[in-house]
Amino acid sequence: MASSGAPSWANTSRPARPPPIEDHLGTTTSSSNTSGMDELLAPVSTLDEPVMETIMRDVRAVGGKLKAVLLPLDRNKPFGYVGVLQEESVEPSDGQRNVLNQLKDWDLWGPLFICLSLALILSTKAPAKQTSHVFTTVFIVMWIGSLVVTINAQLLGATMSIFQSLCVLGYCVFPLTVSALVIAILEHTWFGTLWLDFIWLALGFVWATRVSSIFVGQFVKRKRRFLALYPVFFFYLLLGWLILLF
């Protein structure tokens, strides 16, 4: 037969060699790693989550940001936030970085709550005929002022988003809101004097300016940092004047 004279290496009926075992193992491992990453990165659905649990999660997030504002970044000097203007880059420590990360995760529920609280506190102190006007004035000044400061920072090349800036500026009003509440409580006591009101207001003003200045300093170059920060100063100064006025 003609086929009997063919060499053994030319036998086409011989089964094909299986791929190396290493390839099978590598493919299996890669596919398992990919599926694991897909599971980790998959979005978490809250449709089946109880409403109260969703609300409490948002409340805890707002509380964490308020705590970050009340416990601002520690500077080694009493008025160390002024040094932000001279530093080329503001390098936070691990604790400071945690505060910044909390403020970067923006939301507008907290600023809205703070705005309404400040407006209610000042409107209750105003005469009955001026209550609605005071409430509207505080509400408009806070949001329009935050927007003006944000647009100014954006024009100066800030790398933070608009909503992120509105969130930070809104949360940093919280010390001024606390000052307004203290002044309102002590108004009809022996401590309700004008010079004590100035002290409470100065503490809230310094506290608010400190946190917002350090945060804005992270996203604006040193040469333009003063131009980005002085509107922040005037914004909180305007809110402080409204607190004393009403």
Side-chain angles (χ1 to χ4, degrees), residues 9 11 19 38 50 54 69 112 133 136 138 142 174 176 186 194 206 218-219 222 236 241:
W9 52 266
N11 188 2
D38 292 339
T54 303
V69 171
L112 179 61
H133 297 290
T136 305
V138 175
M142 179 169 171
F174 184 64
L176 287 173
L186 300 179
L194 184 61
V206 171
Q218 304 287 323
F219 300 95
R222 184 175 64 87
Y236 293 124
W241 177 76

Side-chain angles (χ1 to χ4, degrees), residues 113-125:
F113 170 76
I114 294 171
C115 178
L116 293 176
S117 300
L118 181 60
L120 287 174
I121 292 172
L122 297 184
S123 61
T124 54
K125 294 172 55 181

Side-chain angles (χ1 to χ4, degrees), residues 62-92:
V62 172
K65 292 182 177 66
L66 291 178
K67 181 180 178 181
V69 171
L70 288 178
L71 302 175
L73 306 181
D74 55 317
R75 314 289 292 174
N76 296 327
K77 299 178 181 179
F79 295 93
Y81 68 92
V82 180
V84 173
L85 295 174
Q86 286 78 35
E87 297 176 6
E88 180 62 34
S89 59
V90 185
E91 282 295 332

